[in-house]
């Protein structure tokens, strides 16, 4: 599968088969995360791969998105230096983590596995479950597993291209 196909096939998967995926397979996917770019290549991140049933249940209680517990894994992307701000005034942590997790979602798609960005969770609750130190930040969670329905290319509900690009200057 090439990058374009993975981009077109990836979707937020909210229903998973009750089937295992090996840790070996997950570690293969995590290689795409390891190779992701980050601001000044600081790589201030850690990814907690959760496959313990009790922890998955506990994480389920940190979000209204209960489907996350259907998947054999939940991966938490943790920014290990959430206070680092770039000269553009933006915190690098969420950006770095977002890029890395996007690598994961696309690589997972290539392997016919499903993911779903979860930003809707209680930060303190998830930190407590995963024993993440208070001064660090969980940027996102994603379940990872075999989608109930295989991923297929489908049209996406997106703005038209002429609404999101402009040449040489910003225009409304
Ligand atoms: C930063 C971010 C946070 C998101 N948080 C959630 C979430 O908490 N729960 C959920 O079900 N989907 C969540 N999503 C998934 C979006 O709803 C989804 O990406 C969007 O509707 C486009 O659909 P698609 O991913 O299937 O292309 C999130 C996506 C992003 C990028």
């Amino acid at each position: 599968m090439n990058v374009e196909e993975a981009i077109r096939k990836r979707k937020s998967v909210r229903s998973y088969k009750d089937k295992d995926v090996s840790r070996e397979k997950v570690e293969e996917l995590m290689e795409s995360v390891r190779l992701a770019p980050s601001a000044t290549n600081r790589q201030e991140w850690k990814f907690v791969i959760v496959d313990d049933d009790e922890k998955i249940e506990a994480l389920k209680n940190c979000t209204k998105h209960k489907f996350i517990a259907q998947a054999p894994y939940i991966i938490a992307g943790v920014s290990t230096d959430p206070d680092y701000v770039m000269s553009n005034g933006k915190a690098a942590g969420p950006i770095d983590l977002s890029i890395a997790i996007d690598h994961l979602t696309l690589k997972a798609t290539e392997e016919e596995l499903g993911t779903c960005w979860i930003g809707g969770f209680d930060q303190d609750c998830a930190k407590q479950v995963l024993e993440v130190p208070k001064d660090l930040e969980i940027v996102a969670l994603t379940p990872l597993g075999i989608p109930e329905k295989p991923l297929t290319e489908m049209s996406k509900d997106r703005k038209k291209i002429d609404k999101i690009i402009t040449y040489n200057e910003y225009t409304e």
Side-chain angles (χ1 to χ4, degrees):
M1 191 182 297
N2 63 33
V3 176
E4 172 153 2
E5 286 168 330
I7 289 170
R8 290 187 182 277
K9 272 179 98 171
R10 185 219 55 82
K11 59 176 250 183
S12 293
V13 174
R14 299 189 176 90
S15 192
Y16 293 86
K17 284 192 175 156
D18 182 18
K19 261 188 132 175
D20 274 348
V21 174
S22 70
R23 279 190 174 184
E24 196 182 18
K25 172 62 76 184
V26 175
E27 284 177 30
E28 263 176 59
L29 303 183
M30 293 312 287
E31 183 65 5
S32 71
V33 167
R34 191 180 74 81
L35 296 176
S38 61
T40 59
N41 201 24
R42 294 164 75 251
Q43 304 165 67
E44 285 287 356
W45 48 36
K46 188 86 114 181
F47 299 87
V48 185
I49 300 167
V50 186
D51 62 1
D52 175 85
D53 288 345
E54 280 180 22
K55 291 243 173 190
I56 287 180
E57 272 308 301
L59 272 182
K60 183 177 156 187
N61 292 329
C62 299
T63 175
K64 65 178 184 189
H65 304 288
K66 304 299 180 196
F67 67 86
I68 66 170
Q70 292 172 11
Y73 295 93
I74 297 173
I75 298 175
V78 181
S79 170
T80 53
D81 186 11
D83 296 332
Y84 178 75
V85 174
M86 300 178 288
S87 55
N88 68 0
K90 299 293 163 204
I95 298 172
D96 292 343
L97 267 293
S98 300
I99 295 168
I101 294 168
D102 208 47
H103 276 208
L104 174 65
T105 67
L106 293 176
K107 184 67 187 167
T109 304
E110 186 185 44
E111 300 294 330
E112 313 288 348
L113 293 170
T115 55
C116 182
W117 256 92
I118 301 291
F121 64 91
D122 184 295
Q123 181 74 219
D124 292 338
C125 176
K127 272 187 187 169
Q128 197 179 3
V129 171
L130 302 179
E131 297 171 55
V132 174
K134 278 201 171 12
D135 53 328
L136 308 189
E137 200 169 84
I138 304 173
V139 173
L141 303 174
T142 177
L144 174 75
I146 301 172
E148 190 62 57
K149 290 192 195 135
L151 298 169
T152 51
E153 278 192 30
M154 52 171 65
S155 73
K156 291 179 183 281
D157 177 21
R158 299 293 194 262
K159 293 178 181 173
K160 297 266 182 277
I161 194 78
D162 62 351
K163 295 277 181 234
I164 63 165
I165 65 170
T166 67
Y167 286 98
N168 300 316
E169 61 189 29
Y170 184 92
T171 54
E172 292 297 338

